[in-house]
Amino acid sequence: MDVAGGDVLGTTERVLTLLGLLQQPRVWTGPELAGRLGVTPRTVRRDVERLRTLGYPVRAGQGVGGGYRLGRGQDLPPLLLDDQEAIATAVALLAGAGGAVVGAGDAALRALTKLDQVLPTRLRHEVRALSGAVESFGGGRTPVDPGALMTLARACRDEVEAGFGYRSGGEVRQRRVEPYRLVASDRRWYLLAYDIDRDDWRTFRVDRMTEVAARVWRFSPRAAPDAATYVQEGVASRVYPHRARFLVHASADTVRAQIPASAAVVRRRGSELCEVLSGAADLDAVLMHVLLLGHDFEVLDPPELGARCRALAQNLLSAGAALPPVVDTEGP
């Protein structure tokens, strides 16, 4: 039994070594691989078949100049990374997750969370040290600490409580939460979490957090709202003292292209209609924003905004009454 177990382990290590050699950008002959692995060319052929069974597209060429190389397949098989490659990949993903490139950070964080599951502890210290030397610049999303993103993503995955200082209204207060999801908007990263001390769901901006740490206490997941919808409605309307709804006579796709996702929620109402939900410190600001979209629209809520529309329309008519009407001299 011991001999069989040792043979299986040896085969596994040999096949992984073979995969590492084939991932180099060159063509290997059978004798070259056999010499590197200390086996016969026949064993190399068997190991190549094992890799093909696992989904690796190993190509074999015949004749002079032929040999083995790793080709491109339709599916992405597991990658074999050595320590330095794993560190470089993790640092690059950390920079991408915390940077300001819209869209790239979401994918980088998902990939980093997967890599974190298999990254040895001995490498995490090097990743943390090297990531401190990586910075990014440019417009778009507000940059955040990638280490904080990684900690929160891990806490969401492992269903453990998280704690952090949160800056709001000029002061920093400690918060204890059950993290549920990280959500990226066109401008910022947000955390949807259950606030333990306030006994309710809350949305937190990651760029306002300090000293983010995962705790050891696990929690049982609660029935949660849809994360993306909840966060978008929160940042676009719930945080403001005034909220308004409009029926806009244009398609949802057209209006979404005109309004940042963090400024309003756009809901489809048929092919040529949509509902716009937004908030502001002043209702006139919301009204002017929708007016400048250039589409016909109707006020759905609140009722007092309809009265404000009529008052502003009368003011605009009065403002232009003293000027002569413009005559179209070009004609059809």
Side-chain angles (χ1 to χ4, degrees):
M1 295 297 293
D2 292 340
V3 173
D7 182 63
V8 171
L9 180 60
T11 300
T12 301
E13 292 177 344
R14 189 180 66 247
V15 171
L16 289 175
T17 302
L18 173 61
L19 177 59
L21 292 172
L22 291 173
Q23 286 182 337
Q24 297 179 24
R26 57 163 293 181
V27 177
W28 294 89
T29 66
E32 284 177 330
L33 291 174
R36 286 293 192 101
L37 299 173
V39 297
T40 65
R42 181 180 179 182
T43 300
V44 170
R45 289 194 294 272
R46 286 201 302 264
D47 288 346
V48 166
E49 288 304 317
R50 290 187 176 99
L51 288 175
R52 288 169 175 165
T53 301
L54 293 172
Y56 292 94
V58 181
R59 313 298 187 207
Q62 302 297 326
V64 179
Y68 295 100
R69 62 182 178 83
L70 194 63
R72 298 181 183 275
Q74 294 180 343
D75 299 321
L76 181 66
L79 296 176
L80 180 64
L81 303 176
D82 61 28
D83 284 6
Q84 294 305 313
E85 291 169 337
I87 291 171
T89 300
V91 171
L93 290 172
L94 280 167
V101 180
V102 177
D106 312 42
L109 184 59
R110 290 195 303 271
L112 185 58
T113 305
K114 294 177 182 178
L115 181 61
D116 178 67
Q117 289 182 293
V118 297
L119 195 67
T121 302
R122 69 177 188 279
L123 300 183
R124 289 178 178 169
H125 300 294
E126 293 190 53
V127 170
R128 189 177 301 112
L130 288 175
S131 65
V134 178
E135 297 184 10
S136 62
F137 66 92
R141 186 175 299 150
T142 303
V144 298
D145 176 13
L149 276 179
M150 189 67 253
T151 299
L152 294 170
R154 191 183 300 122
C156 291
R157 182 196 69 198
D158 297 340
E159 296 176 353
V160 295
E161 293 181 12
F164 48 84
Y166 195 68
R167 186 177 69 257
S168 180
E171 59 180 326
V172 177
R173 296 180 179 178
Q174 294 299 311
R175 311 297 283 267
R176 295 186 307 131
V177 302
E178 297 174 358
Y180 178 61
R181 288 287 188 276
L182 281 165
V183 178
S185 76
D186 52 346
R187 295 180 179 176
R188 300 182 178 93
W189 279 99
Y190 297 91
L191 173 70
L192 173 62
Y194 193 85
D195 192 311
I196 298 172
D197 296 324
R198 290 158 179 79
D199 197 26
D200 199 4
W201 291 97
R202 289 289 190 273
T203 297
F204 300 95
R205 280 175 48 176
V206 178
D207 60 295
R208 290 182 175 177
M209 296 180 181
T210 61
E211 300 179 352
V212 179
R215 301 177 181 272
V216 297
W217 298 287
R218 296 182 62 87
F219 62 86
S220 298
R222 307 170 186 265
D226 178 79
T229 300
Y230 187 92
V231 171
Q232 186 188 14
E233 290 183 354
V235 300
S237 64
R238 281 196 301 268
V239 297
Y240 294 101
H242 299 286
R243 293 178 291 277
R245 289 190 307 124
F246 304 88
L247 182 66
V248 179
H249 292 241
S251 69
D253 291 340
T254 298
V255 175
R256 286 193 185 109
Q258 295 178 281
I259 305 178
S262 55
V265 178
V266 181
R267 297 169 177 154
R268 188 180 303 276
R269 290 294 179 88
S271 59
E272 295 301 326
L273 292 173
C274 65
E275 180 181 320
V276 174
L277 172 66
S278 187
D282 182 87
L283 281 176
D284 281 358
V286 181
L287 184 60
M288 289 298 101
H289 193 81
V290 175
L291 178 64
L292 292 175
L293 294 177
H295 310 297
D296 291 340
F297 67 92
E298 303 164 30
V299 175
L300 300 178
D301 196 57
E304 60 266 27
L305 190 55
R308 184 61 181 152
C309 283
R310 290 188 289 272
L312 287 175
Q314 187 59 49
N315 289 342
L316 290 172
L317 287 172
S318 299
L323 296 175
V326 177
V327 178
D328 185 2
T329 59
E330 294 185 1

